[in-house]
Amino acid sequence: MKLNICAKDANSVNGTYLSPVSCYFMFLSLILLFTAVPGCSAEKGKPEVPRQSSKDAAADTSALATIAEGDLPEKMIAAHMGPESQGEAGAYRGVFNASGTGVAYVANMGSKVQLVYNRSRGNEYSSVGTIVFSPDGRRIAYPAVGADGTWRMVVDGKEGRPYATLLTPIFSPDSRHVAYQAKEGDKWYIVVDDTRNQGTIASYTAPEFSSDSALIAYVEAAASNKDMRLFVSDLKFNNLKVTWSIGDLLFKTSKNGTRLAAAQVAGSRQKIVDFYFAKPDVVHEGREYDLVDKLALSDDGKSVAYCVLKGQKRLVVLDGKEEPLPDGRMRELPVIRPDRRGVGLLFVTIDGRFFLHQSFVNSHDMGKMYDEAVSLTYSKHGDYAYAARKGNSWFVVVNGKEGAGFDRVISPQFSPSGNHLAYRARKGGRQFVIIADRSGKTIRQHPAYDQVFDVTYTADGKSIAYGVLDGKRLVWKVEKLY
């Protein structure tokens, strides 16, 4: 296997380079974890379309747009193709906002592409990057490259200043601000609205907003580990709080935007440090290990989990507690149970078989083996579900029981009550939503469409809402669970 550690990052819109120190530690991690001590592995560079907030989804079905005659699907490339559209040349790259009031898609205009948003057509570009809606669904942002070869961030239809490279934007939780990474000349910048920081010749991690939208955090890479810095700043970059010697390979913020955690280099060893946005000066330091990897925080920010190498032992750490890991390498990040009593990990054996391991809870029970397994999730009750494959058949596995088989299964997620499971499926070229019970048994198969987009639950938890492509119509569907 040939490893090109310092190649362009597949998660970027136009490519960026890892810092020399990042390359060193990534290389060290791969050597340690893929040879002498197989265990927690480096994540695959698989781009993801950001999931939208599920707040206040519209309660009624409505047709939002009709794809115009002559608007062909964008020529799909790997960075833009989700698993639901793999192998389907006719798939449009579209995004619905979670409120069900807006939809955008990218149309192929021959040598150009054009973003169409709620029937309004934007400027023509050579390429359009990842499309992101604000949490309230009222704003939209995406990077685009024009005829002159420069990238501009397009926010609410307005083009920003030109850059050589732009990465995926993020909106603040209150939807008022947008932040992104940008490169001009030999320097990288963090940009918030129209304000950018002082920049660096190395690079930055993706920025993260605090839950109150008042602060932003990001990690600056550097030529030596002693110069790596994690910044917590106001949105004008006037008031900076700095934590030194932070590795840019591991940096996470809890889903609720309250807590941060990152890897810190301590000589030849590493450790995890964490703190709350509200108290950036109060830093908690974990134990030192030979290597730390696969960092995750619980949604509420109250728990931290990660994998480590301690001598020749592979361990998972949850809030300071250690437990040995089975042989194999991890497919995804650890998933902390909602009750924070345990951690779920999907592993791949040396011969390519996948299984679920649950640390601190049923730790000695190895799950069934599958040809592939992805998207582990937990309910409020502690039930688990993930998508798995045997041969050509995909299905959900819920508490060890297999659901119905399909050509593909995407993104299982439990209802707020924890009593139902919704997931997207594909069969015979058509896509649809399945509702299952806590044993994985199908309760209802929703109508089939040409494409089905992300599924969310309505505020009362009794219905699901999602966008579909029905012929040439882009429709927001609201359906009862059963």
Side-chain angles (χ1 to χ4, degrees), residues 203-205 217-221 228-231 246-248 251 262:
S203 61
Y204 294 104
T205 59
Y218 53 93
V219 171
E220 176 191 63
M228 288 185 180
R229 297 181 290 179
L230 186 154
F231 290 94
I246 296 292
D248 63 339
F251 168 57

Side-chain angles (χ1 to χ4, degrees), residues 22 36 66 225 235-236 253 337 373 376 430 451 458:
S22 299
T66 299
N225 59 14
L235 304 189
K236 295 294 185 181
T253 303
R337 287 168 46 118
L376 174 64
R430 301 278 283 173
Q451 279 182 254
T458 55

